Amino acid sequence: MSNKTESITDVLDHIDRNLDSSVERLADFLRIPSVSTDPAHDEDTTRCARFAAGMLEEIGFDAKVVETDGHPMVLARCDGPDPDSPRVLYYGHYDVQPPDPIELWDHEAFDPVVVEGEQGRRIVARGAVDDKGQVMTIVEALRAWHEVRGGPPCAITVMLEGEEESGSPSLEPFLESHKDELAADVCIVSDTGMWDIRTPAITTMLRGMVYVEVTLHGPSSDLHSGMYGGAVTNPINELTRLLGMIHDDEGRVRFDGFYDDVVETTPEMKAQWESLGFDEKSFLGMIGLERGQGEAGRSTLERTWSRPTCDINGIIGGYTGDGAKTVIASHAKAKLSCRLVANQDPDRIRESIQSFFRDNVHPDCRVEFEDHGCNPAISVPTDSHWLASASSALKDVFGVDALLIGTGGSIPAVGSIQSILGIDSLLIGFGLDDDNVHAPNEKFELTCLQNGIRSHAAILDAFVTKPG
Ligand code: BES
Ligand code: ZN
């Protein structure tokens, strides 16, 4: 077998020799608390965009921080050696989730530490894998090309978003107004996972999402629960009754028409997923569970990759302080999200969620909705020559075939890049299931960082040396 990475041994060696500096730069990136959803961090988020643009400038890019109605976008471009070379667009996000609950972190969330784990050294901090560590796999690969060869082998555009974790509200207007600068032949996104630490993966399906906040308003003020309890509507009782009605006994979601447009997983796809050898016991064991839960008659991979779901993400209401208070609160609130699969229309699903609450609620309760964004599910083509080149580069780096997988998560940008710019994405990420994404002690294995950097360097080479 001829190993294609032989032609870029110099670039790969440089990556390996400089891994500690890459980790230091990642740590600097992680020290900036760019929590997009929290206005208290607005200045940090802008500072983080400038930091990211600075890194790209350092490695020969023409980089700028572009204001939007929300958090700024980082846009950087670099020409290739040959005007006929392909142009590759990279997308990633520099914003992170809030660190809460902070008391569960072993170290401060924005003071990264490198610690020894079962699988070698790992860096622990909010954003370690989602997505700053993965953005660094791209930036450090481009750095290696710059430092060893004077620049990348083809033209590159890098777009880093600061609002991915809060539903990407400014992304589409930005894409519309920067179409020319963003034109490219293919987009690469590193914001997903591997199959396991030794096996790379290309994700071909992302679920979509509808996120709504539902508030029930009942009595005009809080009431004494002895004077009124049992005789009037209690918004918390009412809300939990409704939330309890969302799923039937078979684990199916009861919003009207919820499954109407869902396409059944093909037998071929089911067979391919079965061949992956998914270890359900360890998937559940890792999170302290033994039994799965969900739609009856579906495997765990089906439930997370190809079936729509509804989860309550938060409930707010009533007295939650110390001790007891006998009160009927005047209102109650739930945050609710549905993950969608291919062919479901997010707007239709949102309407159906609203009708469910309006039609079933007690007449003395008024329902109010607040939208927190929606985006459709995405499938990426599996027969492109880009995917074939990337797969072969991944195989050269890891020594094993890259698997084609689905994921339960959502990345709204992928759909927008496809519909507005007309560019298909390759989802090539280096996270692991136990990385604590969105949770305390988020981490990124340094092996994954290193293999991620090597992979991106090799993929670029494969794009120019083995096109089509
Ligand atoms: N990196 C994740 C998406 C992801 C999660 C991919 C798990 C693969 C596995 C991304 O940053 C994210 O969390 N997206 C949000 C999108 C939402 C805010 C619209 C999500 O999926 O909850
Ligand atoms: Zn992410």
Side-chain angles (χ1 to χ4, degrees):
M1 184 190 79
S2 83
N3 189 329
K4 267 66 95 230
T5 54
E6 269 163 24
S7 61
I8 54 160
T9 309
D10 51 348
V11 177
L12 299 180
D13 285 350
H14 186 81
I15 290 168
D16 296 344
R17 271 199 312 275
N18 289 283
L19 186 68
D20 286 345
S21 316
S22 301
V23 174
E24 271 167 40
R25 281 185 287 271
L26 171 57
D28 289 341
F29 198 17
L30 291 167
R31 264 181 215 108
I32 310 174
S34 47
V35 182
S36 58
T37 195
D38 183 354
H41 285 293
D42 282 0
E43 272 179 28
D44 296 319
T45 307
T46 302
R47 184 156 58 91
C48 195
R50 292 204 191 105
F51 178 89
M55 283 195 295
L56 288 157
E57 248 166 17
E58 230 176 76
I59 55 169
F61 278 70
D62 187 2
K64 56 186 178 181
V65 172
V66 186
E67 292 307 321
T68 69
D69 284 346
H71 297 298
M73 197 70 81
V74 176
L75 183 56
R77 286 167 56 91
C78 181
D79 289 334
D82 167 3
D84 293 331
S85 71
R87 181 170 282 275
V88 179
L89 170 67
Y90 288 96
Y91 164 85
H93 61 97
Y94 67 84
D95 66 321
V96 298
Q97 286 273 327
D100 311 63
I102 48 175
E103 64 281 7
L104 296 184
W105 285 78
D106 295 335
H107 305 272
E108 215 273 304
F110 295 107
D111 192 6
V113 286
V114 174
V115 297
E116 199 63 44
E118 287 127 42
Q119 294 169 305
R121 289 189 303 154
R122 51 173 64 162
I123 186 160
V124 186
R126 170 57 82 236
V129 61
D130 187 10
D131 185 31
K132 288 175 177 172
Q134 302 223 49
V135 166
M136 287 307 271
T137 60
I138 296 166
V139 174
E140 294 299 295
L142 296 170
R143 181 184 297 274
W145 272 100
H146 173 74
E147 288 175 358
V148 179
R149 301 280 184 97
C154 60
I156 307 281
T157 305
V158 179
M159 170 172 69
L160 302 177
E161 194 195 352
E163 297 184 325
E164 198 272 351
E165 300 290 7
S166 37
S168 301
S170 311
L171 179 73
E172 295 208 340
F174 177 83
L175 297 182
E176 290 285 1
S177 58
H178 290 76
K179 271 188 189 163
D180 291 347
E181 279 173 274
L182 292 165
D185 299 290
V186 64
C187 175
I188 298 189
V189 179
S190 262
D191 195 18
T192 50
M194 298 172 56
W195 178 250
D196 61 33
I197 197 161
R198 277 173 293 276
T199 320
I202 301 183
T203 299
T204 62
M205 295 159 71
L206 286 169
R207 287 198 291 187
M209 148 137 17
V210 172
Y211 201 122
V212 287
E213 197 164 315
V214 187
T215 308
L216 297 196
H217 298 274
S220 50
S221 67
D222 285 6
L223 304 173
H224 188 290
S225 68
M227 287 169 69
Y228 290 94
V232 299
T233 186
N234 172 337
I236 300 179
N237 290 6
E238 188 57 7
L239 180 66
T240 52
R241 183 182 70 82
L242 294 170
L243 297 179
M245 283 167 58
I246 291 176
H247 294 92
D248 70 13
D249 290 345
E250 300 280 272
R252 283 170 67 88
V253 176
R254 295 172 61 201
F255 301 139
D256 245 5
F258 193 69
Y259 296 96
D260 281 2
D261 300 322
V262 175
V263 181
E264 262 307 318
T265 316
T266 59
E268 293 76 30
M269 193 154 268
K270 279 192 191 174
Q272 193 242 322
W273 291 353
E274 259 155 44
S275 75
L276 293 173
F278 176 67
D279 183 351
E280 170 141 352
K281 210 166 162 230
S282 100
F283 175 77
L284 294 171
M286 206 156 59
I287 48 169
L289 302 175
E290 281 177 17
R291 262 167 256 267
Q293 192 270 336
E295 244 188 295
R298 305 279 176 181
S299 70
T300 296
L301 284 191
E302 262 185 284
R303 284 170 177 171
T304 52
W305 291 359
S306 68
R307 299 299 295 171
T309 56
C310 176
D311 274 291
I312 298 147
N313 299 121
I315 301 187
I316 308 154
Y319 181 68
T320 56
D322 288 341
K325 182 182 182 199
T326 48
V327 67
I328 294 176
S330 68
H331 62 275
K333 210 182 250 221
K335 290 175 190 277
L336 181 151
S337 63
C338 289
R339 296 281 168 175
L340 309 182
V341 298
N343 215 35
Q344 281 184 297
D345 174 355
D347 291 322
R348 237 184 104 187
I349 300 296
R350 188 177 41 211
E351 307 254 302
S352 170
I353 297 171
Q354 298 196 353
S355 309
F356 170 87
F357 283 97
R358 288 207 180 98
D359 295 349
N360 292 299
V361 74
H362 186 278
D364 269 352
C365 275
R366 179 170 60 82
V367 198
E368 194 180 56
F369 298 99
E370 194 182 335
D371 270 343
H372 291 296
C374 67
N375 59 281
I378 298 295
S379 302
V380 298
T382 52
D383 55 359
S384 75
H385 67 83
W386 302 109
L387 189 138
S389 299
S391 284
S392 101
L394 288 168
K395 173 146 197 195
D396 292 339
V397 168
F398 285 88
V400 293
D401 281 324
L403 302 180
L404 298 184
I405 62 169
T407 180
S410 310
I411 307 173
V414 175
S416 310
I417 289 169
Q418 171 28 249
S419 64
I420 297 173
L421 304 178
I423 306 172
D424 286 324
S425 293
L426 286 175
L427 305 168
I428 303 174
F430 302 94
L432 300 179
D433 282 349
D434 70 352
D435 279 344
N436 301 323
V437 177
H438 294 194
N441 301 319
E442 179 179 344
K443 56 99 175 159
F444 195 28
E445 301 291 341
L446 296 194
T447 308
C448 295
L449 174 71
Q450 183 173 7
N451 281 329
I453 303 171
R454 291 171 64 99
S455 298
H456 282 302
I459 289 168
L460 277 185
D461 185 54
F463 280 175
V464 292
T465 54
K466 312 194 316 106

